């Protein structure tokens, strides 16, 4: 029997560069209040959100990804032709095929890099980072580009009081490459499919394919609503607060460090109350910098962690070499947490 030659990659992997792109249009809460019965104070107290960015016609999923990726590649100090794989996490690329990753890889000037999309909601960046680490250690790529990108304004029901204020648009990207020492810890990830209905799309695409327009949601003018993201807010809040703190602690344990060893905490930017509750449950020391990018960016799903990471480094609130705990959680319900060394 023939023996297969074992693969050989780098001993470890690390994040080498990060980049972000936020659409030019800044949307304050006052705009959201034009279509829902609420108040600026209520939105801020419930979510922490003051403003969010919404993409214009030219700020497509691909265009935002290319902008963020170009910055990440430059930050990593490599050429796009060295990228061996492009992994894009998104739920707002509306073409079933081909994957948007292939277009992005081409526009960046990669040398026929492997390219594919994943759908893991707000945990998508953690999933992509884990895949990238595996490719580098396994040897199938030397450098991997991981992108989280969303145009969630396209999937927002502006008349839904529970979600209209939550979502924003943007793209965040990191370059993952070889390392001689551990710089991305073990990933603690999983799913709880029995809770899948707590965050979902209001109407499946096949309802439009079959032509069955009965019982479709209508807007205030009687028009059929485009599919949007909806959620059971209290159920999701309880799950995130009580279960995700446990997952975050497991990630610390898996990396062999304690909360005292952390410099930075970058959770998914879903809700500032969830973030504050996790900080309290994890008993993070005061010296730990906590990302609260949600205040001016909103919930950008898969893009939220790399965007928050990019901002912390750009403002100097975090620095290269810092030890950071990152955790994403959302639709599925899925989650992924790990400890990383910041680029």
């Amino acid at each position: 029997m023939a023996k297969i030659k074992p693969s050989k990659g780098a001993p470890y992997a690390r994040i080498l560069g990060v980049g972000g792109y936020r659409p030019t249009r800044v949307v304050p809460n006052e705009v959201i209040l034009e279509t829902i019965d609420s108040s600026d104070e209520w939105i801020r107290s419930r979510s922490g959100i003051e403003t969010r960015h919404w993409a214009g016609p030219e700020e497509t999923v691909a265009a935002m990804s290319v902008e963020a990726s170009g910055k990440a590649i430059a930050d990593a100090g490599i050429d796009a032709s060295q990228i061996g794989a492009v992994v894009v996490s998104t739920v707002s690329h509306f073409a079933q095929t081909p994957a948007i990753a292939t277009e992005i890889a081409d526009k960046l000037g990669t040398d026929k890099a492997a390219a594919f999309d994943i759908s893991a909601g707000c945990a998508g960046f953690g999933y992509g980072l884990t895949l990238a680490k595996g490719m580098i250690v396994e040897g199938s790529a030397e450098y991997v580009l991981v992108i989280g990108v969303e145009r969630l304004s396209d999937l927002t029901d502006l008349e839904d009081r529970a979600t209209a204020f939550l979502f924003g648009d943007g793209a965040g990207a990191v370059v993952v490459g070889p390392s001689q020492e551990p710089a991305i810890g073990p990933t603690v990830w999983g799913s709880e499919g029995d809770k899948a209905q707590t965050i979902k799309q209001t109407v499946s695409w096949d309802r439009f394919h079959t032509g069955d327009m009965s019982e479709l949601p209508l807007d205030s003018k009687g028009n059929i609503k485009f599919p949007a993201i909806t959620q059971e807010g209290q159920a999701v809040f309880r799950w995130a607060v009580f279960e995700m703190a446990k997952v975050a602690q497991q990630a610390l344990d898996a990396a062999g460090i304690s909360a005292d060893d952390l410099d930075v905490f970058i959770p998914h930017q879903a809700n500032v109350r969830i973030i504050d509750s996790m900080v309290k449950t994890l008993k993070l020391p005061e010296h730990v910098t906590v990302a609260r990018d949600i205040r001016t960016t909103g919930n950008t799903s898969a893009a939220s962690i790399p965007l928050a990471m990019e901002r912390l480094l750009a403002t100097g609130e975090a620095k290269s070499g810092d030890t950071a705990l990152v955790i994403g959680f959302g639709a599925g319900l899925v989650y992924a947490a790990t400890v990383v060394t910041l680029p």
Side-chain angles (χ1 to χ4, degrees):
M1 183 175 66
K3 292 184 178 180
I4 297 174
K5 182 179 178 180
S7 58
K8 185 178 181 181
Y12 306 104
R14 70 184 306 118
I15 299 174
L16 299 173
V18 60
Y21 180 82
R22 292 171 174 82
T24 57
R25 183 188 178 193
V26 177
V27 180
N29 288 337
E30 285 72 20
V31 172
I32 307 299
L33 296 175
E34 294 174 4
T35 52
I36 61 171
D37 180 16
S38 188
S39 68
D40 177 63
E41 189 280 329
W42 187 89
I43 294 174
R44 291 181 186 231
S45 65
R46 298 286 291 183
S47 68
I49 299 172
E50 302 167 11
T51 61
R52 73 284 291 145
H53 295 255
W54 282 356
E58 303 302 317
E59 292 169 314
T60 63
V61 167
M64 292 191 294
S65 296
V66 169
E67 289 291 332
S69 299
K71 296 174 184 177
I73 291 169
D75 191 42
I78 66 169
D79 189 85
S81 63
Q82 295 175 268
I83 298 292
V86 177
V87 183
V88 177
S89 178
T90 185
V91 299
S92 45
H93 169 53
F94 293 151
Q96 193 70 36
T97 192
I100 196 63
T102 59
E103 179 183 337
I104 295 167
D106 178 65
K107 287 184 173 180
L108 287 171
T110 67
D111 185 16
K112 300 179 181 178
F116 58 95
D117 299 350
I118 61 173
S119 178
C122 305
F125 176 75
Y127 275 50
L129 188 64
T130 303
L131 293 172
K133 173 185 174 183
M135 283 185 266
I136 290 161
V137 173
E138 187 269 342
S140 58
E142 185 176 12
Y143 299 99
V144 179
L145 179 65
V146 179
I147 304 167
V149 57
E150 300 294 0
R151 272 183 57 120
L152 293 181
S153 58
D154 292 335
L155 287 168
T156 299
D157 180 353
L158 294 178
E159 295 181 342
D160 180 0
R161 188 173 185 271
T163 61
F165 59 89
L166 285 176
F167 303 119
D169 303 337
V174 298
V175 172
V176 184
S179 175
Q180 293 303 307
E181 59 184 30
I184 301 176
T187 300
V188 177
W189 57 352
S191 65
E192 297 186 31
D194 61 316
K195 300 179 181 67
Q197 296 303 304
T198 57
I199 305 176
K200 63 181 181 178
Q201 184 171 306
T202 52
V203 182
S204 62
W205 302 117
D206 61 0
R207 291 291 297 277
F208 294 86
H209 175 68
T210 60
D212 180 7
M213 299 291 110
S214 63
E215 299 182 8
L216 290 177
L218 304 177
D219 64 20
S220 58
K221 297 179 181 179
N223 299 314
I224 294 174
K225 289 184 178 182
F226 189 77
I229 298 172
T230 186
Q231 68 176 24
E232 297 174 14
Q234 286 301 314
V236 173
F237 181 86
R238 288 193 298 270
W239 175 78
V241 167
F242 295 110
E243 298 302 323
M244 291 305 98
K246 298 176 186 177
V247 172
Q249 184 60 55
Q250 290 169 11
L252 290 175
D253 295 341
I257 68 171
S258 70
D260 292 336
D261 298 317
L262 281 179
D263 300 302
V264 184
F265 179 43
I266 311 178
H268 165 50
Q269 302 294 293
N271 182 303
V272 76
R273 293 190 301 150
I274 293 174
I275 295 171
D276 291 344
S277 294
M278 292 180 70
V279 168
K280 183 177 180 180
T281 302
L282 290 167
K283 299 179 180 178
L284 296 185
E286 289 189 6
H287 75 262
V288 176
T289 297
V290 179
R292 292 185 176 87
D293 191 46
I294 188 171
R295 289 171 175 161
T296 56
T297 306
N299 180 344
T300 55
S301 189
S304 77
I305 290 176
L307 278 174
M309 182 185 295
E310 185 264 349
R311 174 161 282 174
L312 289 176
L313 290 167
T315 60
E317 296 173 82
K319 62 183 184 299
S320 175
D322 279 353
T323 300
L325 169 63
V326 299
I327 178 170
F329 46 86
L333 294 170
V334 295
Y335 54 87
T338 187
V339 175
V340 303
T341 301
L342 295 182

